[in-house]
Amino acid sequence: MYLYGASGHGKVVAEIAEALNIPISGFIDGNPEIEVVLDYSVIEDIPINIDQVVISIGNNKIRKEIATRCKKLSFITLIHPHSTTSKRASVGEGTVIMAGVTINSGAKIGKHCIINTNASVDHECIIADFVHISPNAALAGNVEVGEGSHLGIGSSIIQGVKIGSWATIGAGSVVLKDVPDGAVVVGNPARIIKYNVF
C-alpha cells in the first residue's frame, strides 16, 4: 500500500495502517525535497505496479483532484482499531477514521473523508465525499454534511441540521441551523461571516 501525501497528516494515516498490520510500500509526494517519512521512502510518481493507495492529504479540494485524476487506482479505507464504528454504518472507499472516533448506527460516510481524532458522528448522519470532520467535533443525529465541507476542531452540530457543500465550520462553533453551500460560519451560535471562493 502507498500513501499519497507525505505530510504530518500522512504520518498519522501511516500509523493507522501500521496498527492494522497493513504493509506500507512508501509515500508518493510531488515535493522532491522529501525523501523519507517515518522510515518509509518517498517517491514523486505513481508506480506502475501500485496495488492499493490512500490519499493522506488533509486538504479536501486536493483529495478530490487526486481521486478524480487517479480513479483507476484501488483506494482502501483505514479504520483505526481504537475507534468504534457501528456494524449498521457504512464507510466509503478511501476514507480514514482516526483513533477515538465513534460512528453510530445508520450513519453513512462517503468516499475519501477524514473523520479525525475523537470525533463523534451520531445515528443516521449522512456525510458526503471529501468531507473533513476535525478532532473532537460532534454531530448529533440526522445531520447531513455536503461534499467537501470542513468541520473545525471542537465544533458541535445539533440534530437535523444540513450543512451545504464546501462549507467551513469554524473551530468551536455551535451550529443550530442549516448552513448554505460555501458558507463560512463561526461562533456560538454560529453565524455566516463570508463565503468560500470556488
Side-chain angles (χ1 to χ4, degrees):
M1 181 196 73
Y2 280 88
L3 295 145
Y4 201 130
S7 62
H9 177 69
K11 293 176 182 178
V12 178
V13 176
E15 289 188 349
I16 295 172
E18 290 173 341
L20 295 167
N21 295 313
I22 298 173
I24 298 171
S25 300
F27 284 85
I28 303 165
D29 198 287
N31 184 348
E33 295 181 6
I34 305 172
E35 297 179 355
V36 177
V37 173
L38 299 180
D39 298 323
Y40 297 107
S41 61
V42 180
I43 59 176
E44 289 186 58
D45 298 313
I46 299 171
I48 295 171
N49 62 342
I50 193 167
D51 51 357
Q52 296 177 319
V53 65
V54 172
I55 304 171
S56 52
I57 295 172
N59 184 293
N60 297 346
K61 287 185 179 178
I62 294 174
R63 274 201 322 286
K64 182 175 181 179
E65 288 169 9
I66 293 169
T68 302
R69 189 173 73 243
C70 304
K71 50 181 127 182
K72 291 185 179 178
L73 295 178
S74 176
F75 295 105
I76 65 168
T77 300
L78 295 178
I79 300 176
H80 197 288
H82 294 141
S83 63
T84 303
T85 300
S86 167
K87 66 181 181 181
R88 293 179 175 87
S90 62
V91 180
E93 70 176 24
T95 287
V96 177
I97 296 174
M98 308 294 191
V101 166
T102 299
I103 298 175
N104 282 327
S105 184
K108 295 180 180 178
I109 312 295
K111 299 176 182 178
H112 302 287
C113 293
I114 299 168
I115 314 298
N116 222 317
T117 311
N118 295 325
S120 175
V121 179
D122 221 305
H123 63 88
E124 299 165 306
C125 287
I126 299 174
I127 312 299
D129 300 342
F130 309 107
V131 167
H132 184 169
I133 299 176
S134 293
N136 293 308
L139 284 65
N142 294 292
V143 169
E144 294 183 25
V145 181
E147 179 184 281
S149 287
H150 187 172
L151 281 60
I153 191 168
S155 57
S156 301
I157 320 298
I158 68 163
Q159 66 275 6
V161 163
K162 291 183 173 72
I163 295 171
S165 299
W166 302 99
T168 302
I169 310 301
S173 296
V174 178
V175 180
L176 304 177
K177 60 183 181 180
D178 292 355
V179 175
D181 292 350
V184 178
V185 303
V186 298
N188 180 6
R191 67 192 188 289
I192 298 171
I193 59 166
K194 64 179 183 178
Y195 283 85
N196 289 315
V197 178
F198 294 97

